[in-house]
């Protein structure tokens, strides 16, 4: 094949691959490390599960529209459930992602506008403590698509939580960061 024909073919394939509305459900596994501080009526301490790796399922969808590269700029919604020792957590993210790609490979970066971290654990007095923490964050990732409707993805998510709703804790400063491994079904209409 001539170089001009190969270039023309790549342009046509790339333009068609990102034309229209993108709906991309995904299912995966996340492993985030938690660090941070919290106050309990003036006493500063590490957040529950500080330094631990939280592991659990991740699922969600990317939604967007694009006409040609470097679009689309999909919205990102995700949730995950993790358990570490006796601490149960649920993470919900909503953000905006910019994506670029060529056939078989794509990459993205995003800003997580809203992230909610629900925590439930039993404290030293055998009382169940439940709370919500809110924050924002960033993510970056790449995907490999060996087949048109299948993508294997790896992304790094980093979130920071600084607003809380607890009965006995105040001044939360929690950071979660780690990889998410997922399989997705990129549907373009």
């Amino acid at each position: 094949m001539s170089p001009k024909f190969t270039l023309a073919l790549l342009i046509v394939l790339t333009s068609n691959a990102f034309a229209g509305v993108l709906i991309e459900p995904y299912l995966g596994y996340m492993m985030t490390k938690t660090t941070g501080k919290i106050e309990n009526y003036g006493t500063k301490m590490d957040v529950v599960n500080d330094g631990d790796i939280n592991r659990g399922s991740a699922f969600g969808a990317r939604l967007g529209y694009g006409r040609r590269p470097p679009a689309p700029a999909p919205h990102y919604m995700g949730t995950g459930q993790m358990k570490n020792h006796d601490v149960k957590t649920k993470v919900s993210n909503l953000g905006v992602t910019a994506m670029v790609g060529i056939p078989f490979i794509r990459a993205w970066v995003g800003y997580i506008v809203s992230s909610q971290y629900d925590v439930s654990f039993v404290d030293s007095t055998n009382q169940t403590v439940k709370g919500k923490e809110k924050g924002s964050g960033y993510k970056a990732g790449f995907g490999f698509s060996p087949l048109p409707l299948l993508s294997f993805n790896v992304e790094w998510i980093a979130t920071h939580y600084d607003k809380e709703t607890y009965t006995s804790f105040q001044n939360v400063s929690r950071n979660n960061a780690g990889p998410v491994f997922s399989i997705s079904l990129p549907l373009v209409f």
Side-chain angles (χ1 to χ4, degrees), residues 32-51:
T32 61
K33 183 175 182 179
T34 297
T35 59
K37 298 290 182 190
I38 195 167
E39 278 187 32
N40 186 2
Y41 296 110
T43 303
K44 289 191 178 204
M45 60 183 91
D46 292 334
V47 292
V48 176
N49 67 353
D50 182 63

Side-chain angles (χ1 to χ4, degrees), residues 17 22 104 106 144-151 184-188:
L22 171 71
F104 306 113
R106 58 202 181 118
F144 172 68
S145 300
L147 301 171
L149 294 178
L150 181 66
S151 182
S184 62
L185 183 66
L187 304 170
V188 180

Side-chain angles (χ1 to χ4, degrees), residues 1-9:
M1 271 196 264
S2 75
K4 289 180 184 179
F5 177 77
T6 304
L7 180 61
L9 183 62

